[in-house]
């Protein structure tokens, strides 16, 4: 689910540049992408341990 949200935010990011500064919107996208990557890594690690 976090990957879908990250993809949506990355898609919408250029559209928001006309009314929202990049220094405010980029950190939000980066934080969400980092959390999504950590979550994906956790899923991969726990999936491999159950086998």
């Amino acid at each position: 689910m976090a990957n879908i949200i990250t993809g949506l935010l990355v898609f919408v990011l250029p559209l928001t540049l006309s009314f929202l500064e990049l220094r405010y919107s980029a950190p939000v996208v980066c934080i969400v992408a980092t959390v999504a990557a950590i979550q994906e890594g956790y899923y991969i690690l726990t999936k491999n341990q159950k086998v």
Side-chain angles (χ1 to χ4, degrees):
M1 182 66 174
N3 287 333
I4 295 170
I5 295 170
T6 302
L8 179 67
L9 287 175
V10 169
F11 176 77
V12 173
L13 179 65
L15 303 174
T16 63
L17 293 178
S18 63
F19 60 89
L20 193 63
E21 290 187 35
L22 186 62
R23 66 176 167 185
Y24 299 122
S25 57
V28 173
V29 174
C30 290
I31 289 170
V32 171
T34 302
V35 170
I38 291 170
Q39 181 185 25
E40 187 70 23
Y42 174 76
Y43 286 155
I44 290 170
L45 286 175
T46 57
K47 179 182 173 187
N48 289 338
Q49 288 178 356
K50 291 180 181 177
V51 173

